[in-house]
């Protein structure tokens, strides 16, 4: 409001000055003949406009949007900054909540700890894949302790003008201390906290230095806890992660089967759910999904139910929502040529039958209805929670990935661009086998980024050998089970989708002809 008033006054001032200048020049075009007062006025107006323009251009907002306040809105903001989130809203992550209990006790009862000479931990660092609930947990920490919650993102402090980022950091901590107890949450902290090196940029270094200074000094007489979050812990500068600063590193990974069920429970709490929905089954189907993806599935299912004018969300809505999240939006009225449809059907049938025969992941559904950028897809989920994979299982995964292309080659003696994504995944997996898992003839070693250039030729050879041997294996399995492949492809051309039960039926029929693999 105050800002708007200043703008209005300025506008009036500019209009008035324009009239004045016009008036002066039209009376007498020679500026030297104008009166002294007029001259002073003209110069004063021109100079103040010039100063205003330069200041606006070269002095960007010094305080980040999340921490800008004026007096009137301060009270509103303060209310807003107290999140209405508790640990009950965070499903799973029991060990993390337990770890944070200590910090909650400290904030809620600081004197008990201070009497013992204990200092509150300066910073907590959440790291892990995206969408796993890092922000939610930080908010819950503020909710549990009735603290203020100041959200900021590392990128807010990245500026090209030296010193601006550092000023914003100072302003953020000043506000936090003023409103103590406060939880400062800095998302994507790697944007300001990444390792410094010789060609580091001056602005970024100043910002990081300011953050280090604040972390060292802020807990003297106020309660402020800084929670940083990053997807890349390895990028952070050691000065930031050393004891006394962000010294509590908490990994937050994708939820396990139990946690997934709990997350679903949280997100269907206020939704009318049909009895056909079994959350345990849904959590089994969503292995590897993040909490954000699960929340998205519950929301998508609700939207689908509304679209179909249903009174309750049923299992079909959830299944469609999972497919939408995994494979993308279904293409309405696809214009796939018949010839292409045949290729796609054999390609997907190739993945499905080799996956089934090698007992790789559990297949749920095969489809040749285009979704997103894919013309077809095989929906599969691991049948149990796995943390370790054997060498054979990894190779089998590559064989299944290459089975689509192998089927095209065997049936049409031609290969297409349809395998682009499969090849990308297969190469990535083969590179991991060589560089990270030590499962190639290069031996039991991990080759990190610093050494990769010394081994580049050997790595390329090893990756190529793995891919080619897996492709040969895929070709063999397809050739040995060609009738099974053709039957599945025919079914797909006629019906467009196939469930696991239908795949099993065709498999049983072909069983006598199907040769044992391995
Ligand atoms: P990023 O690293 O991308 O910033 P994040 O780890 O901070 O992601 P959040 O923003 O906390 O992830 O989570 C996104 C959404 O996912 C939450 O708002 C919530 O709806 C849901 N969610 C994630 N994890 C959980 C969980 N454990 N319990 C309940 N909901 C969750």
């Amino acid at each position: 409001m105050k800002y708007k008033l200043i703008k209005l006054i300025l506008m009036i001032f500019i209009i008035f000055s324009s009239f004045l200048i016009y008036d002066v020049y039209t009376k007498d075009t020679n500026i030297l003949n104008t009166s002294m007062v007029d001259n002073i006025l003209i110069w004063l107006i021109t100079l103040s406009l010039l100063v205003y323009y330069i200041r606006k251009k070269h002095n960007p907002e010094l305080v980040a949007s999340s921490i800008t306040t004026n007096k009137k809105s301060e009270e509103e903001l303060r209310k807003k900054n107290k999140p209405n989130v508790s640990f009950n809203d965070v499903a799973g992550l029991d060990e993390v909540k337990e770890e944070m209990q200590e910090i909650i006790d400290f904030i809620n009862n600081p004197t008990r700890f201070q009497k013992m000479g204990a200092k509150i931990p300066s910073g907590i660092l959440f790291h892990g894949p995206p969408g796993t609930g890092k922000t939610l947990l930080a908010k819950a920490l503020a909710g549990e302790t009735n603290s203020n919650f100041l959200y900021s993102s590392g990128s807010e402090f990245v500026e090209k003008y030296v010193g601006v980022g550092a000023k914003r950091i100072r302003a953020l901590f000043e506000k936090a201390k003023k409103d103590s107890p406060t939880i400062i949450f800095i998302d994507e902290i790697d944007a300001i906290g990444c390792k410094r090196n010789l060609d580091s940029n001056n602005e970024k270094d100043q910002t990081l230095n300011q953050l280090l200074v604040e972390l060292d000094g802020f807990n003297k007489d106020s309660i402020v806890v800084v929670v940083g979050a990053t997807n890349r812990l390895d990028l952070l500068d050691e000065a930031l992660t050393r004891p006394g600063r962000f010294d509590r590193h908490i990994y937050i990974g994708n939820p396990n089967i139990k946690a997934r069920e709990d997350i679903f429970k949280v997100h269907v709490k206020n939704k009318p759910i049909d009895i056909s929905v079994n959350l345990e089954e849904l959590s089994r189907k969503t292995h590897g999904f993040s909490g954000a993806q699960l929340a998205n599935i519950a929301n998508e299912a609700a939207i689908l139910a509304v679209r179909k004018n249903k009174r309750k969300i049923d299992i079909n809505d959830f299944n469609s929502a999972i497919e939408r999240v995994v494979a993308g939006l279904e293409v309405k009225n696809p214009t796939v040529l018949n010839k292409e449809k045949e290729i796609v059907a054999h390609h997907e049938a190739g993945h499905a039958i080799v996956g089934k025969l090698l007992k790789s992941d559990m297949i749920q559904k095969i489809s040749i209805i285009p979704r997103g950028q894919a013309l077809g897809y095989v929906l599969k989920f691991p049948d149990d929670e796995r943390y370790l994979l054997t060498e054979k299982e990894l190779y089998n995964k590559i064989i299944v990935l290459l089975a689509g292309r192998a089927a095209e080659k065997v049936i049409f003696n031609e290969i297409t661009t349809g395998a682009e994504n499969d090849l990308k995944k297969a190469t990535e997996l083969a590179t991991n086998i060589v560089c990270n898992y030590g499962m190639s003839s290069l031996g039991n070693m991990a080759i990190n980024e610093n050494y990769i250039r010394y081994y580049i030729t050997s790595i390329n050879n090893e990756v190529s050998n793995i891919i080619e041997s897996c492709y040969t294996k895929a070709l063999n399995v397809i050739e040995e089970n060609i009738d099974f492949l053709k039957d599945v492809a025919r079914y797909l051309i006629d019906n467009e989708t196939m469930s696991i039960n239908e795949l099993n039926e065709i498999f049983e029929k072909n069983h006598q002809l199907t040769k044992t693999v391995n």
Side-chain angles (χ1 to χ4, degrees):
M1 190 65 198
K2 193 173 132 194
Y3 198 64
K4 272 187 186 162
L5 198 73
I6 294 174
K7 259 185 166 177
L8 191 74
I9 294 171
L10 214 88
M11 280 298 291
I12 295 168
F13 186 59
I14 290 169
I15 293 167
F16 172 75
S17 60
S18 316
F19 276 124
L20 192 79
I21 292 169
Y22 177 79
D23 192 42
V24 165
Y25 278 94
T26 47
K27 268 188 204 154
D28 193 334
T29 41
N30 187 356
I31 195 148
L32 295 169
N33 290 344
T34 54
S35 75
M36 186 70 168
V37 180
D38 283 346
N39 254 329
I40 290 172
L41 252 172
I42 291 169
W43 282 111
L44 212 70
I45 291 164
T46 317
L47 268 175
S48 50
L49 280 175
L50 207 70
V51 169
Y52 172 75
Y53 176 75
I54 292 169
R55 274 186 70 104
K56 198 168 161 47
K57 194 150 191 258
H58 294 281
N59 198 10
E61 226 183 325
L62 287 181
V63 182
S65 57
S66 61
I67 46 175
T68 314
T69 55
N70 58 40
K71 281 213 162 136
K72 254 192 159 182
S73 64
E74 211 162 75
E75 208 41 51
E76 270 172 43
L77 259 178
R78 204 166 287 178
K79 264 186 225 155
K80 254 199 229 165
N81 284 343
K82 295 234 160 128
N84 193 16
V85 179
S86 75
F87 276 169
N88 290 335
D89 301 302
V90 186
L93 301 172
D94 293 335
E95 59 293 341
V96 181
K97 290 188 217 166
E98 213 168 279
E99 171 88 11
M100 281 163 61
Q101 194 54 49
E102 200 178 274
I103 294 158
I104 293 175
D105 290 346
F106 199 111
I107 299 175
N108 287 342
N109 196 354
T111 40
R112 225 181 94 218
F113 289 82
Q114 279 156 356
K115 266 187 207 156
M116 285 289 182
K119 277 199 288 186
I120 192 163
S122 306
I124 309 166
L125 202 58
F126 290 153
H127 61 108
T132 46
K134 297 182 284 295
T135 314
L136 189 68
L137 259 170
K139 274 189 191 161
L141 179 63
E144 291 284 337
T145 51
N146 198 24
S147 303
N148 272 300
F149 181 75
L150 289 186
Y151 175 91
S152 56
S153 164
S155 51
E156 279 176 39
F157 302 100
V158 179
E159 272 291 342
K160 60 180 175 183
Y161 302 106
V162 177
V164 176
K167 270 184 186 154
R168 285 184 180 168
I169 291 276
R170 220 175 297 136
L172 176 67
F173 278 80
E174 263 163 27
K175 178 161 171 49
K177 279 183 254 181
K178 209 168 102 203
D179 295 341
S180 162
T182 302
I183 308 293
I184 297 178
F185 180 70
I186 309 178
D187 207 359
E188 301 164 32
I189 196 166
D190 41 287
I192 41 169
C194 65
K195 287 190 174 84
R196 289 168 290 188
N197 51 38
L198 282 177
D199 31 82
S200 267
N201 106 13
N202 199 5
E203 156 63 7
K204 266 195 174 174
D205 285 359
Q206 275 205 22
T207 310
L208 177 57
N209 286 341
Q210 188 61 42
L211 178 61
L212 299 178
V213 168
E214 298 290 350
L215 282 170
D216 287 342
F218 72 84
N219 260 340
K220 302 251 154 63
D221 26 51
S222 49
I223 294 177
V224 177
V225 174
V226 193
V227 181
T230 175
N231 306 130
R232 294 288 311 269
L233 180 65
D234 55 311
L235 292 184
L236 294 186
D237 198 289
E238 271 152 35
L240 200 60
T241 53
R242 74 142 172 82
R245 289 172 182 161
F246 282 103
D247 48 7
R248 292 200 178 199
H249 304 170
I250 302 179
Y251 178 74
I252 301 183
N254 282 330
N256 61 23
I257 186 162
K258 177 79 185 63
R260 288 200 297 277
E261 191 182 337
D262 292 341
I263 294 175
F264 270 129
K265 278 185 192 155
V266 167
H267 291 280
V268 300
K269 213 163 39 189
N270 302 320
K271 296 183 174 77
I273 299 293
D274 189 72
I275 46 163
S276 61
V277 178
N278 181 342
L279 294 182
E280 192 190 329
E281 194 192 314
L282 282 180
S283 63
R284 215 172 314 119
K285 280 184 178 178
T286 45
H287 175 87
F289 283 42
S290 67
Q293 280 174 313
L294 300 178
N296 191 18
I297 287 172
N299 191 45
E300 283 292 332
I303 292 171
L304 286 173
V306 172
R307 216 180 278 164
K308 290 177 190 158
N309 285 326
K310 292 182 186 171
R311 293 176 64 199
K312 286 186 172 179
I313 311 168
D314 62 30
I315 189 68
N316 294 327
D317 301 318
F318 272 96
N319 285 338
S320 305
I322 292 175
E323 263 187 82
R324 195 194 175 304
V325 170
V326 173
L329 206 61
E330 188 178 312
V331 179
K332 298 285 172 206
N333 309 318
T335 51
V336 182
L337 302 173
N338 278 346
K339 173 71 183 160
E340 284 184 335
K341 201 170 169 183
E342 280 207 21
I343 296 173
V344 176
H346 285 88
H347 182 108
E348 298 309 329
H351 286 308
I353 72 153
V354 176
K356 165 121 191 97
L357 293 163
L358 295 185
K359 298 187 182 72
S360 196
D361 299 323
M362 189 169 76
I363 294 160
Q364 290 291 305
K365 185 179 173 182
I366 311 148
S367 169
I368 57 164
I369 300 173
R371 262 183 192 273
Q373 286 180 312
L375 292 177
Y377 56 93
V378 176
L379 206 61
K380 51 192 179 179
F381 306 106
D383 48 358
D384 45 18
E385 291 284 293
R386 296 292 305 274
Y387 296 99
L388 298 174
L389 285 173
T390 65
E391 189 177 354
K392 189 174 170 196
E393 284 167 334
L394 286 172
Y395 277 76
N396 280 352
K397 276 185 185 295
I398 299 179
I399 297 170
V400 175
L401 281 168
L402 299 173
R405 166 156 285 190
E408 290 178 24
K409 181 73 187 160
V410 170
I411 300 292
F412 304 102
N413 195 25
E414 188 93 80
I415 52 173
T416 69
T417 52
E420 183 186 348
N421 200 27
D422 300 332
L423 295 183
K424 225 181 262 171
K425 286 185 192 163
T427 310
E428 203 178 295
L429 203 50
T431 311
N432 273 334
I433 287 176
V434 177
C435 297
N436 297 329
Y437 307 147
M439 289 177 180
S440 73
S441 61
L442 291 186
N444 297 317
M445 63 172 179
I447 308 168
N448 70 23
E449 285 157 15
N450 299 332
Y451 293 98
I452 228 158
R453 60 200 150 114
Y454 301 116
Y455 291 93
I456 196 75
T457 316
S458 321
I459 293 170
N460 280 342
N461 288 340
E462 285 297 317
V463 170
S464 167
N465 287 345
I466 293 172
I467 299 272
E468 288 318 311
S469 69
C470 288
Y471 183 57
T472 309
K473 177 87 181 165
L475 284 170
N476 292 341
V477 178
I478 299 269
E479 275 163 358
E480 285 172 9
N481 297 278
I482 190 120
D483 293 331
F484 185 20
L485 175 91
K486 284 182 178 170
D487 286 352
V488 173
R490 175 62 28 219
Y491 187 100
L492 283 173
I493 292 165
D494 294 341
N495 301 285
E496 294 198 318
T497 59
M498 176 186 256
S499 71
I500 180 66
N501 295 339
E502 286 144 1
L503 179 71
N504 285 341
E505 261 173 42
I506 299 179
F507 172 73
E508 290 305 328
K509 251 195 267 162
N510 280 274
H511 193 59
Q512 300 305 318
L513 303 167
T514 307
K515 302 194 175 86
T516 322
V517 189
N518 298 333

